PDB file of all heavy atoms in Angstrom:
ATOM      1  N   HIS A   1       0.829  -1.215   0.000  1.00  0.00           N
ATOM      2  CA  HIS A   1       0.000   0.000   0.000  1.00  0.00           C
ATOM      3  C   HIS A   1       0.857   1.256   0.000  1.00  0.00           C
ATOM      4  O   HIS A   1       0.668   2.139  -0.852  1.00  0.00           O
ATOM      5  CB  HIS A   1      -0.921   0.004   1.216  1.00  0.00           C
ATOM      6  CG  HIS A   1      -1.881   1.157   1.233  1.00  0.00           C
ATOM      7  ND1 HIS A   1      -3.011   1.182   0.458  1.00  0.00           N
ATOM      8  CD2 HIS A   1      -1.873   2.339   1.921  1.00  0.00           C
ATOM      9  CE1 HIS A   1      -3.662   2.319   0.663  1.00  0.00           C
ATOM     10  NE2 HIS A   1      -2.993   3.037   1.552  1.00  0.00           N
ATOM     11  N   TRP A   2       1.783   1.330   0.935  1.00  0.00           N
ATOM     12  CA  TRP A   2       2.500   2.583   1.123  1.00  0.00           C
ATOM     13  C   TRP A   2       3.626   2.800   0.136  1.00  0.00           C
ATOM     14  O   TRP A   2       3.956   3.956  -0.177  1.00  0.00           O
ATOM     15  CB  TRP A   2       3.019   2.661   2.559  1.00  0.00           C
ATOM     16  CG  TRP A   2       1.904   2.878   3.528  1.00  0.00           C
ATOM     17  CD1 TRP A   2       1.367   1.986   4.399  1.00  0.00           C
ATOM     18  CD2 TRP A   2       1.141   4.083   3.700  1.00  0.00           C
ATOM     19  NE1 TRP A   2       0.324   2.550   5.100  1.00  0.00           N
ATOM     20  CE2 TRP A   2       0.171   3.843   4.690  1.00  0.00           C
ATOM     21  CE3 TRP A   2       1.188   5.344   3.091  1.00  0.00           C
ATOM     22  CZ2 TRP A   2      -0.739   4.815   5.105  1.00  0.00           C
ATOM     23  CZ3 TRP A   2       0.285   6.316   3.500  1.00  0.00           C
ATOM     24  CH2 TRP A   2      -0.665   6.053   4.497  1.00  0.00           C
ATOM     25  N   ALA A   3       4.215   1.746  -0.381  1.00  0.00           N
ATOM     26  CA  ALA A   3       5.337   1.927  -1.317  1.00  0.00           C
ATOM     27  C   ALA A   3       4.964   1.646  -2.765  1.00  0.00           C
ATOM     28  O   ALA A   3       5.797   1.815  -3.650  1.00  0.00           O
ATOM     29  CB  ALA A   3       6.499   1.022  -0.908  1.00  0.00           C
ATOM     30  N   ARG A   4       3.692   1.259  -3.026  1.00  0.00           N
ATOM     31  CA  ARG A   4       3.360   0.879  -4.406  1.00  0.00           C
ATOM     32  C   ARG A   4       1.960   1.276  -4.842  1.00  0.00           C
ATOM     33  O   ARG A   4       1.802   1.898  -5.904  1.00  0.00           O
ATOM     34  CB  ARG A   4       3.532  -0.652  -4.558  1.00  0.00           C
ATOM     35  CG  ARG A   4       3.491  -1.160  -5.987  1.00  0.00           C
ATOM     36  CD  ARG A   4       3.485  -2.679  -6.017  1.00  0.00           C
ATOM     37  NE  ARG A   4       2.229  -3.244  -5.511  1.00  0.00           N
ATOM     38  CZ  ARG A   4       2.050  -4.530  -5.226  1.00  0.00           C
ATOM     39  NH1 ARG A   4       3.068  -5.382  -5.344  1.00  0.00           N
ATOM     40  NH2 ARG A   4       0.877  -4.958  -4.799  1.00  0.00           N
ATOM     41  N   ASP A   5       0.928   0.961  -4.076  1.00  0.00           N
ATOM     42  CA  ASP A   5      -0.438   0.958  -4.606  1.00  0.00           C
ATOM     43  C   ASP A   5      -1.310   2.130  -4.185  1.00  0.00           C
ATOM     44  O   ASP A   5      -2.396   2.303  -4.737  1.00  0.00           O
ATOM     45  CB  ASP A   5      -1.161  -0.331  -4.181  1.00  0.00           C
ATOM     46  CG  ASP A   5      -0.532  -1.576  -4.764  1.00  0.00           C
ATOM     47  OD1 ASP A   5       0.201  -1.465  -5.761  1.00  0.00           O
ATOM     48  OD2 ASP A   5      -0.771  -2.676  -4.212  1.00  0.00           O
ATOM     49  N   ARG A   6      -0.890   2.931  -3.247  1.00  0.00           N
ATOM     50  CA  ARG A   6      -1.797   3.941  -2.697  1.00  0.00           C
ATOM     51  C   ARG A   6      -2.221   4.948  -3.764  1.00  0.00           C
ATOM     52  O   ARG A   6      -1.397   5.441  -4.541  1.00  0.00           O
ATOM     53  CB  ARG A   6      -1.144   4.676  -1.532  1.00  0.00           C
ATOM     54  CG  ARG A   6      -2.133   5.557  -0.771  1.00  0.00           C
ATOM     55  CD  ARG A   6      -1.512   6.173   0.468  1.00  0.00           C
ATOM     56  NE  ARG A   6      -2.547   6.831   1.270  1.00  0.00           N
ATOM     57  CZ  ARG A   6      -2.448   8.069   1.716  1.00  0.00           C
ATOM     58  NH1 ARG A   6      -1.370   8.797   1.471  1.00  0.00           N
ATOM     59  NH2 ARG A   6      -3.439   8.595   2.429  1.00  0.00           N
ATOM     60  N   THR A   7      -3.530   5.278  -3.786  1.00  0.00           N
ATOM     61  CA  THR A   7      -4.076   6.227  -4.760  1.00  0.00           C
ATOM     62  C   THR A   7      -4.700   7.454  -4.109  1.00  0.00           C
ATOM     63  O   THR A   7      -4.948   8.449  -4.792  1.00  0.00           O
ATOM     64  CB  THR A   7      -5.150   5.550  -5.641  1.00  0.00           C
ATOM     65  OG1 THR A   7      -6.212   5.060  -4.809  1.00  0.00           O
ATOM     66  CG2 THR A   7      -4.550   4.397  -6.435  1.00  0.00           C
ATOM     67  N   ARG A   8      -4.966   7.407  -2.810  1.00  0.00           N
ATOM     68  CA  ARG A   8      -5.663   8.509  -2.140  1.00  0.00           C
ATOM     69  C   ARG A   8      -4.702   9.410  -1.368  1.00  0.00           C
ATOM     70  O   ARG A   8      -5.063  10.005  -0.363  1.00  0.00           O
ATOM     71  CB  ARG A   8      -6.747   7.965  -1.203  1.00  0.00           C
ATOM     72  CG  ARG A   8      -7.852   7.200  -1.911  1.00  0.00           C
ATOM     73  CD  ARG A   8      -8.992   6.890  -0.957  1.00  0.00           C
ATOM     74  NE  ARG A   8      -9.577   8.099  -0.420  1.00  0.00           N
ATOM     75  CZ  ARG A   8     -10.114   8.199   0.796  1.00  0.00           C
ATOM     76  NH1 ARG A   8     -10.137   7.136   1.594  1.00  0.00           N
ATOM     77  NH2 ARG A   8     -10.631   9.340   1.220  1.00  0.00           N
ATOM     78  N   GLY A   9      -3.481   9.532  -1.848  1.00  0.00           N
ATOM     79  CA  GLY A   9      -2.497  10.379  -1.191  1.00  0.00           C
ATOM     80  C   GLY A   9      -1.095   9.906  -1.509  1.00  0.00           C
ATOM     81  O   GLY A   9      -0.880   9.002  -2.321  1.00  0.00           O
ATOM     82  N   ALA A  10      -0.129  10.532  -0.855  1.00  0.00           N
ATOM     83  CA  ALA A  10       1.278  10.256  -1.137  1.00  0.00           C
ATOM     84  C   ALA A  10       1.665   8.848  -0.704  1.00  0.00           C
ATOM     85  O   ALA A  10       1.131   8.298   0.261  1.00  0.00           O
ATOM     86  CB  ALA A  10       2.153  11.278  -0.427  1.00  0.00           C
ATOM     87  N   THR A  11       2.608   8.274  -1.433  1.00  0.00           N
ATOM     88  CA  THR A  11       3.213   7.006  -1.051  1.00  0.00           C
ATOM     89  C   THR A  11       4.494   7.285  -0.264  1.00  0.00           C
ATOM     90  O   THR A  11       4.875   8.439  -0.043  1.00  0.00           O
ATOM     91  CB  THR A  11       3.526   6.152  -2.278  1.00  0.00           C
ATOM     92  OG1 THR A  11       4.372   6.896  -3.167  1.00  0.00           O
ATOM     93  CG2 THR A  11       2.241   5.767  -3.018  1.00  0.00           C
ATOM     94  N   LEU A  12       5.156   6.234   0.170  1.00  0.00           N
ATOM     95  CA  LEU A  12       6.400   6.350   0.919  1.00  0.00           C
ATOM     96  C   LEU A  12       7.475   5.516   0.230  1.00  0.00           C
ATOM     97  O   LEU A  12       7.182   4.499  -0.398  1.00  0.00           O
ATOM     98  CB  LEU A  12       6.206   5.852   2.355  1.00  0.00           C
ATOM     99  CG  LEU A  12       5.198   6.631   3.202  1.00  0.00           C
ATOM    100  CD1 LEU A  12       4.918   5.890   4.509  1.00  0.00           C
ATOM    101  CD2 LEU A  12       5.707   8.030   3.494  1.00  0.00           C
ATOM    102  N   PRO A  13       8.741   5.918   0.347  1.00  0.00           N
ATOM    103  CA  PRO A  13       9.818   5.156  -0.307  1.00  0.00           C
ATOM    104  C   PRO A  13       9.904   3.732   0.242  1.00  0.00           C
ATOM    105  O   PRO A  13       9.791   3.510   1.452  1.00  0.00           O
ATOM    106  CB  PRO A  13      11.080   5.955   0.029  1.00  0.00           C
ATOM    107  CG  PRO A  13      10.597   7.333   0.365  1.00  0.00           C
ATOM    108  CD  PRO A  13       9.251   7.137   1.003  1.00  0.00           C
ATOM    109  N   LEU A  14      10.118   2.791  -0.652  1.00  0.00           N
ATOM    110  CA  LEU A  14      10.222   1.391  -0.246  1.00  0.00           C
ATOM    111  C   LEU A  14      11.346   1.200   0.772  1.00  0.00           C
ATOM    112  O   LEU A  14      11.182   0.464   1.760  1.00  0.00           O
ATOM    113  CB  LEU A  14      10.469   0.519  -1.481  1.00  0.00           C
ATOM    114  CG  LEU A  14      10.616  -0.984  -1.227  1.00  0.00           C
ATOM    115  CD1 LEU A  14       9.328  -1.560  -0.653  1.00  0.00           C
ATOM    116  CD2 LEU A  14      10.997  -1.706  -2.522  1.00  0.00           C
ATOM    117  N   GLU A  15      12.487   1.830   0.531  1.00  0.00           N
ATOM    118  CA  GLU A  15      13.615   1.680   1.446  1.00  0.00           C
ATOM    119  C   GLU A  15      13.250   2.153   2.860  1.00  0.00           C
ATOM    120  O   GLU A  15      13.664   1.566   3.854  1.00  0.00           O
ATOM    121  CB  GLU A  15      14.817   2.474   0.939  1.00  0.00           C
ATOM    122  CG  GLU A  15      15.398   1.946  -0.358  1.00  0.00           C
ATOM    123  CD  GLU A  15      14.728   2.502  -1.614  1.00  0.00           C
ATOM    124  OE1 GLU A  15      13.635   3.114  -1.491  1.00  0.00           O
ATOM    125  OE2 GLU A  15      15.290   2.332  -2.698  1.00  0.00           O
ATOM    126  N   PHE A  16      12.462   3.220   2.923  1.00  0.00           N
ATOM    127  CA  PHE A  16      12.055   3.781   4.211  1.00  0.00           C
ATOM    128  C   PHE A  16      11.139   2.830   4.964  1.00  0.00           C
ATOM    129  O   PHE A  16      11.337   2.565   6.159  1.00  0.00           O
ATOM    130  CB  PHE A  16      11.360   5.127   3.986  1.00  0.00           C
ATOM    131  CG  PHE A  16      10.740   5.713   5.216  1.00  0.00           C
ATOM    132  CD1 PHE A  16      11.526   6.342   6.170  1.00  0.00           C
ATOM    133  CD2 PHE A  16       9.368   5.650   5.425  1.00  0.00           C
ATOM    134  CE1 PHE A  16      10.963   6.884   7.319  1.00  0.00           C
ATOM    135  CE2 PHE A  16       8.794   6.189   6.558  1.00  0.00           C
ATOM    136  CZ  PHE A  16       9.600   6.809   7.510  1.00  0.00           C
ATOM    137  N   VAL A  17      10.120   2.290   4.301  1.00  0.00           N
ATOM    138  CA  VAL A  17       9.161   1.444   5.021  1.00  0.00           C
ATOM    139  C   VAL A  17       9.801   0.132   5.437  1.00  0.00           C
ATOM    140  O   VAL A  17       9.465  -0.427   6.494  1.00  0.00           O
ATOM    141  CB  VAL A  17       7.868   1.214   4.207  1.00  0.00           C
ATOM    142  CG1 VAL A  17       7.162   2.529   3.948  1.00  0.00           C
ATOM    143  CG2 VAL A  17       8.110   0.465   2.923  1.00  0.00           C
ATOM    144  N   ILE A  18      10.726  -0.383   4.642  1.00  0.00           N
ATOM    145  CA  ILE A  18      11.398  -1.626   5.038  1.00  0.00           C
ATOM    146  C   ILE A  18      12.299  -1.377   6.244  1.00  0.00           C
ATOM    147  O   ILE A  18      12.343  -2.192   7.177  1.00  0.00           O
ATOM    148  CB  ILE A  18      12.165  -2.228   3.854  1.00  0.00           C
ATOM    149  CG1 ILE A  18      11.163  -2.846   2.866  1.00  0.00           C
ATOM    150  CG2 ILE A  18      13.183  -3.272   4.321  1.00  0.00           C
ATOM    151  CD1 ILE A  18      11.766  -3.407   1.619  1.00  0.00           C
ATOM    152  N   ALA A  19      12.979  -0.250   6.287  1.00  0.00           N
ATOM    153  CA  ALA A  19      13.792   0.083   7.466  1.00  0.00           C
ATOM    154  C   ALA A  19      12.914   0.186   8.714  1.00  0.00           C
ATOM    155  O   ALA A  19      13.313  -0.243   9.805  1.00  0.00           O
ATOM    156  CB  ALA A  19      14.556   1.378   7.238  1.00  0.00           C
ATOM    157  N   LYS A  20      11.702   0.731   8.556  1.00  0.00           N
ATOM    158  CA  LYS A  20      10.806   0.875   9.701  1.00  0.00           C
ATOM    159  C   LYS A  20      10.402  -0.480  10.280  1.00  0.00           C
ATOM    160  O   LYS A  20      10.145  -0.585  11.484  1.00  0.00           O
ATOM    161  CB  LYS A  20       9.532   1.635   9.301  1.00  0.00           C
ATOM    162  CG  LYS A  20       9.728   3.073   8.905  1.00  0.00           C
ATOM    163  CD  LYS A  20      10.017   3.998  10.086  1.00  0.00           C
ATOM    164  CE  LYS A  20       8.802   4.347  10.881  1.00  0.00           C
ATOM    165  NZ  LYS A  20       9.046   5.483  11.820  1.00  0.00           N
ATOM    166  N   GLN A  21      10.332  -1.523   9.429  1.00  0.00           N
ATOM    167  CA  GLN A  21       9.855  -2.837   9.861  1.00  0.00           C
ATOM    168  C   GLN A  21      11.006  -3.806  10.149  1.00  0.00           C
ATOM    169  O   GLN A  21      10.769  -4.935  10.565  1.00  0.00           O
ATOM    170  CB  GLN A  21       8.931  -3.432   8.803  1.00  0.00           C
ATOM    171  CG  GLN A  21       8.161  -4.677   9.215  1.00  0.00           C
ATOM    172  CD  GLN A  21       7.088  -4.423  10.256  1.00  0.00           C
ATOM    173  OE1 GLN A  21       6.089  -3.774   9.977  1.00  0.00           O
ATOM    174  NE2 GLN A  21       7.289  -4.917  11.470  1.00  0.00           N
ATOM    175  N   THR A  22      12.240  -3.354   9.985  1.00  0.00           N
ATOM    176  CA  THR A  22      13.381  -4.255  10.183  1.00  0.00           C
ATOM    177  C   THR A  22      14.369  -3.658  11.184  1.00  0.00           C
ATOM    178  O   THR A  22      14.289  -3.928  12.378  1.00  0.00           O
ATOM    179  CB  THR A  22      14.063  -4.573   8.841  1.00  0.00           C
ATOM    180  OG1 THR A  22      14.437  -3.349   8.159  1.00  0.00           O
ATOM    181  CG2 THR A  22      13.147  -5.372   7.937  1.00  0.00           C
ATOM    182  N   ARG A  23      15.259  -2.799  10.711  1.00  0.00           N
ATOM    183  CA  ARG A  23      16.262  -2.217  11.617  1.00  0.00           C
ATOM    184  C   ARG A  23      15.609  -1.490  12.786  1.00  0.00           C
ATOM    185  O   ARG A  23      15.998  -1.678  13.954  1.00  0.00           O
ATOM    186  CB  ARG A  23      17.153  -1.234  10.847  1.00  0.00           C
ATOM    187  CG  ARG A  23      18.194  -0.525  11.719  1.00  0.00           C
ATOM    188  CD  ARG A  23      18.756   0.698  11.033  1.00  0.00           C
ATOM    189  NE  ARG A  23      17.703   1.685  10.744  1.00  0.00           N
ATOM    190  CZ  ARG A  23      17.902   2.779  10.019  1.00  0.00           C
ATOM    191  NH1 ARG A  23      19.105   3.013   9.501  1.00  0.00           N
ATOM    192  NH2 ARG A  23      16.911   3.636   9.806  1.00  0.00           N
ATOM    193  N   ASP A  24      14.609  -0.646  12.486  1.00  0.00           N
ATOM    194  CA  ASP A  24      14.049   0.210  13.534  1.00  0.00           C
ATOM    195  C   ASP A  24      13.321  -0.602  14.608  1.00  0.00           C
ATOM    196  O   ASP A  24      13.466  -0.333  15.800  1.00  0.00           O
ATOM    197  CB  ASP A  24      13.102   1.241  12.923  1.00  0.00           C
ATOM    198  CG  ASP A  24      13.823   2.246  12.040  1.00  0.00           C
ATOM    199  OD1 ASP A  24      15.065   2.146  11.910  1.00  0.00           O
ATOM    200  OD2 ASP A  24      13.153   3.127  11.469  1.00  0.00           O
ATOM    201  N   THR A  25      12.522  -1.576  14.194  1.00  0.00           N
ATOM    202  CA  THR A  25      11.827  -2.396  15.186  1.00  0.00           C
ATOM    203  C   THR A  25      12.810  -3.263  15.961  1.00  0.00           C
ATOM    204  O   THR A  25      12.659  -3.450  17.171  1.00  0.00           O
ATOM    205  CB  THR A  25      10.758  -3.281  14.518  1.00  0.00           C
ATOM    206  OG1 THR A  25      11.294  -3.865  13.323  1.00  0.00           O
ATOM    207  CG2 THR A  25       9.523  -2.458  14.155  1.00  0.00           C
ATOM    208  N   ALA A  26      13.818  -3.780  15.280  1.00  0.00           N
ATOM    209  CA  ALA A  26      14.817  -4.607  15.972  1.00  0.00           C
ATOM    210  C   ALA A  26      15.546  -3.790  17.036  1.00  0.00           C
ATOM    211  O   ALA A  26      15.678  -4.220  18.193  1.00  0.00           O
ATOM    212  CB  ALA A  26      15.803  -5.189  14.968  1.00  0.00           C
ATOM    213  N   LEU A  27      16.004  -2.616  16.668  1.00  0.00           N
ATOM    214  CA  LEU A  27      16.757  -1.800  17.625  1.00  0.00           C
ATOM    215  C   LEU A  27      15.890  -1.342  18.782  1.00  0.00           C
ATOM    216  O   LEU A  27      16.385  -1.158  19.899  1.00  0.00           O
ATOM    217  CB  LEU A  27      17.371  -0.591  16.916  1.00  0.00           C
ATOM    218  CG  LEU A  27      18.502  -0.894  15.936  1.00  0.00           C
ATOM    219  CD1 LEU A  27      18.998   0.381  15.276  1.00  0.00           C
ATOM    220  CD2 LEU A  27      19.661  -1.619  16.639  1.00  0.00           C
ATOM    221  N   SER A  28      14.600  -1.155  18.551  1.00  0.00           N
ATOM    222  CA  SER A  28      13.727  -0.687  19.626  1.00  0.00           C
ATOM    223  C   SER A  28      13.647  -1.702  20.764  1.00  0.00           C
ATOM    224  O   SER A  28      13.302  -1.333  21.890  1.00  0.00           O
ATOM    225  CB  SER A  28      12.325  -0.384  19.078  1.00  0.00           C
ATOM    226  OG  SER A  28      11.607  -1.576  18.785  1.00  0.00           O
ATOM    227  N   TYR A  29      13.969  -2.963  20.494  1.00  0.00           N
ATOM    228  CA  TYR A  29      13.992  -3.999  21.524  1.00  0.00           C
ATOM    229  C   TYR A  29      15.394  -4.559  21.754  1.00  0.00           C
ATOM    230  O   TYR A  29      15.553  -5.659  22.284  1.00  0.00           O
ATOM    231  CB  TYR A  29      12.999  -5.110  21.192  1.00  0.00           C
ATOM    232  CG  TYR A  29      11.651  -4.845  21.829  1.00  0.00           C
ATOM    233  CD1 TYR A  29      10.754  -3.971  21.241  1.00  0.00           C
ATOM    234  CD2 TYR A  29      11.306  -5.410  23.046  1.00  0.00           C
ATOM    235  CE1 TYR A  29       9.540  -3.679  21.837  1.00  0.00           C
ATOM    236  CE2 TYR A  29      10.100  -5.134  23.661  1.00  0.00           C
ATOM    237  CZ  TYR A  29       9.219  -4.262  23.047  1.00  0.00           C
ATOM    238  OH  TYR A  29       8.019  -3.961  23.654  1.00  0.00           O
ATOM    239  N   GLY A  30      16.389  -3.807  21.346  1.00  0.00           N
ATOM    240  CA  GLY A  30      17.758  -4.219  21.616  1.00  0.00           C
ATOM    241  C   GLY A  30      18.218  -5.426  20.840  1.00  0.00           C
ATOM    242  O   GLY A  30      19.192  -6.085  21.227  1.00  0.00           O
ATOM    243  N   LEU A  31      17.529  -5.732  19.734  1.00  0.00           N
ATOM    244  CA  LEU A  31      17.898  -6.887  18.908  1.00  0.00           C
ATOM    245  C   LEU A  31      18.913  -6.427  17.863  1.00  0.00           C
ATOM    246  O   LEU A  31      18.610  -6.244  16.683  1.00  0.00           O
ATOM    247  CB  LEU A  31      16.650  -7.477  18.249  1.00  0.00           C
ATOM    248  CG  LEU A  31      15.596  -7.998  19.244  1.00  0.00           C
ATOM    249  CD1 LEU A  31      14.277  -8.267  18.539  1.00  0.00           C
ATOM    250  CD2 LEU A  31      16.091  -9.257  19.947  1.00  0.00           C
ATOM    251  N   THR A  32      20.120  -6.235  18.305  1.00  0.00           N
ATOM    252  CA  THR A  32      21.137  -5.607  17.462  1.00  0.00           C
ATOM    253  C   THR A  32      21.766  -6.563  16.454  1.00  0.00           C
ATOM    254  O   THR A  32      22.566  -6.135  15.617  1.00  0.00           O
ATOM    255  CB  THR A  32      22.257  -5.022  18.343  1.00  0.00           C
ATOM    256  OG1 THR A  32      22.808  -6.064  19.170  1.00  0.00           O
ATOM    257  CG2 THR A  32      21.701  -3.920  19.238  1.00  0.00           C
ATOM    258  N   ASP A  33      21.394  -7.842  16.512  1.00  0.00           N
ATOM    259  CA  ASP A  33      22.008  -8.822  15.615  1.00  0.00           C
ATOM    260  C   ASP A  33      21.175  -9.079  14.372  1.00  0.00           C
ATOM    261  O   ASP A  33      21.512  -9.952  13.567  1.00  0.00           O
ATOM    262  CB  ASP A  33      22.234 -10.147  16.343  1.00  0.00           C
ATOM    263  CG  ASP A  33      20.931 -10.793  16.812  1.00  0.00           C
ATOM    264  OD1 ASP A  33      19.900 -10.088  16.870  1.00  0.00           O
ATOM    265  OD2 ASP A  33      20.940 -12.004  17.133  1.00  0.00           O
ATOM    266  N   ARG A  34      20.085  -8.341  14.171  1.00  0.00           N
ATOM    267  CA  ARG A  34      19.171  -8.603  13.046  1.00  0.00           C
ATOM    268  C   ARG A  34      18.573  -7.296  12.553  1.00  0.00           C
ATOM    269  O   ARG A  34      18.750  -6.243  13.151  1.00  0.00           O
ATOM    270  CB  ARG A  34      18.079  -9.580  13.483  1.00  0.00           C
ATOM    271  CG  ARG A  34      17.139  -9.044  14.543  1.00  0.00           C
ATOM    272  CD  ARG A  34      16.393 -10.154  15.262  1.00  0.00           C
ATOM    273  NE  ARG A  34      17.297 -10.980  16.057  1.00  0.00           N
ATOM    274  CZ  ARG A  34      17.047 -12.218  16.443  1.00  0.00           C
ATOM    275  NH1 ARG A  34      15.900 -12.786  16.132  1.00  0.00           N
ATOM    276  NH2 ARG A  34      17.916 -12.911  17.163  1.00  0.00           N
ATOM    277  N   GLY A  35      17.852  -7.386  11.428  1.00  0.00           N
ATOM    278  CA  GLY A  35      17.168  -6.207  10.899  1.00  0.00           C
ATOM    279  C   GLY A  35      17.911  -5.487   9.805  1.00  0.00           C
ATOM    280  O   GLY A  35      17.377  -4.547   9.203  1.00  0.00           O
ATOM    281  N   VAL A  36      19.146  -5.908   9.511  1.00  0.00           N
ATOM    282  CA  VAL A  36      19.957  -5.290   8.456  1.00  0.00           C
ATOM    283  C   VAL A  36      20.686  -6.409   7.706  1.00  0.00           C
ATOM    284  O   VAL A  36      21.166  -7.361   8.319  1.00  0.00           O
ATOM    285  CB  VAL A  36      20.985  -4.299   9.049  1.00  0.00           C
ATOM    286  CG1 VAL A  36      21.946  -3.805   7.981  1.00  0.00           C
ATOM    287  CG2 VAL A  36      20.278  -3.114   9.700  1.00  0.00           C
ATOM    288  N   LEU A  37      20.743  -6.267   6.387  1.00  0.00           N
ATOM    289  CA  LEU A  37      21.542  -7.198   5.577  1.00  0.00           C
ATOM    290  C   LEU A  37      22.954  -6.639   5.463  1.00  0.00           C
ATOM    291  O   LEU A  37      23.229  -5.745   4.671  1.00  0.00           O
ATOM    292  CB  LEU A  37      20.915  -7.369   4.195  1.00  0.00           C
ATOM    293  CG  LEU A  37      19.574  -8.110   4.143  1.00  0.00           C
ATOM    294  CD1 LEU A  37      19.089  -8.221   2.697  1.00  0.00           C
ATOM    295  CD2 LEU A  37      19.687  -9.501   4.765  1.00  0.00           C
ATOM    296  N   ALA A  38      23.836  -7.166   6.300  1.00  0.00           N
ATOM    297  CA  ALA A  38      25.230  -6.731   6.320  1.00  0.00           C
ATOM    298  C   ALA A  38      26.061  -7.859   6.907  1.00  0.00           C
ATOM    299  O   ALA A  38      25.555  -8.674   7.687  1.00  0.00           O
ATOM    300  CB  ALA A  38      25.399  -5.459   7.152  1.00  0.00           C
ATOM    301  N   PRO A  39      27.339  -7.944   6.544  1.00  0.00           N
ATOM    302  CA  PRO A  39      28.189  -8.997   7.105  1.00  0.00           C
ATOM    303  C   PRO A  39      28.179  -8.986   8.625  1.00  0.00           C
ATOM    304  O   PRO A  39      28.250  -7.935   9.267  1.00  0.00           O
ATOM    305  CB  PRO A  39      29.578  -8.649   6.552  1.00  0.00           C
ATOM    306  CG  PRO A  39      29.294  -7.942   5.267  1.00  0.00           C
ATOM    307  CD  PRO A  39      28.050  -7.137   5.530  1.00  0.00           C
ATOM    308  N   GLY A  40      28.015 -10.184   9.202  1.00  0.00           N
ATOM    309  CA  GLY A  40      27.986 -10.342  10.644  1.00  0.00           C
ATOM    310  C   GLY A  40      26.589 -10.360  11.245  1.00  0.00           C
ATOM    311  O   GLY A  40      26.429 -10.709  12.414  1.00  0.00           O
ATOM    312  N   MET A  41      25.588 -10.002  10.449  1.00  0.00           N
ATOM    313  CA  MET A  41      24.215 -10.002  10.952  1.00  0.00           C
ATOM    314  C   MET A  41      23.555 -11.355  10.690  1.00  0.00           C
ATOM    315  O   MET A  41      23.958 -12.107   9.793  1.00  0.00           O
ATOM    316  CB  MET A  41      23.409  -8.888  10.279  1.00  0.00           C
ATOM    317  CG  MET A  41      23.975  -7.492  10.486  1.00  0.00           C
ATOM    318  SD  MET A  41      23.925  -6.956  12.207  1.00  0.00           S
ATOM    319  CE  MET A  41      22.224  -6.424  12.333  1.00  0.00           C
ATOM    320  N   ARG A  42      22.528 -11.655  11.491  1.00  0.00           N
ATOM    321  CA  ARG A  42      21.786 -12.896  11.294  1.00  0.00           C
ATOM    322  C   ARG A  42      21.205 -12.956   9.885  1.00  0.00           C
ATOM    323  O   ARG A  42      20.729 -11.944   9.343  1.00  0.00           O
ATOM    324  CB  ARG A  42      20.645 -12.998  12.299  1.00  0.00           C
ATOM    325  CG  ARG A  42      21.018 -13.637  13.614  1.00  0.00           C
ATOM    326  CD  ARG A  42      19.841 -13.582  14.560  1.00  0.00           C
ATOM    327  NE  ARG A  42      18.664 -14.232  13.989  1.00  0.00           N
ATOM    328  CZ  ARG A  42      18.294 -15.475  14.264  1.00  0.00           C
ATOM    329  NH1 ARG A  42      19.019 -16.225  15.056  1.00  0.00           N
ATOM    330  NH2 ARG A  42      17.197 -15.983  13.744  1.00  0.00           N
TER     331      ARG A  42
END
């Protein structure tokens, strides 16, 4: 909806919404080993 299909207003960048559901949620609970695709991460 937010990064592709919305018609009744502005959309949001795909990179932004994925960060909100991965890195940001992980860090909010101290899960520092996940949420990002980078060497050393789960």
Side-chain angles (χ1 to χ4, degrees):
H1 185 78
W2 289 107
R4 191 187 69 192
D5 296 340
R6 190 174 189 230
T7 59
R8 297 189 60 212
T11 56
L12 297 170
L14 179 63
E15 294 87 347
F16 172 78
V17 298
I18 286 177
K20 294 286 283 193
Q21 191 69 68
T22 55
R23 177 197 61 188
D24 293 359
T25 44
L27 291 179
S28 74
Y29 268 81
L31 298 167
T32 57
D33 63 343
R34 66 199 67 202
V36 172
L37 291 181
M41 301 295 279
R42 272 176 57 98

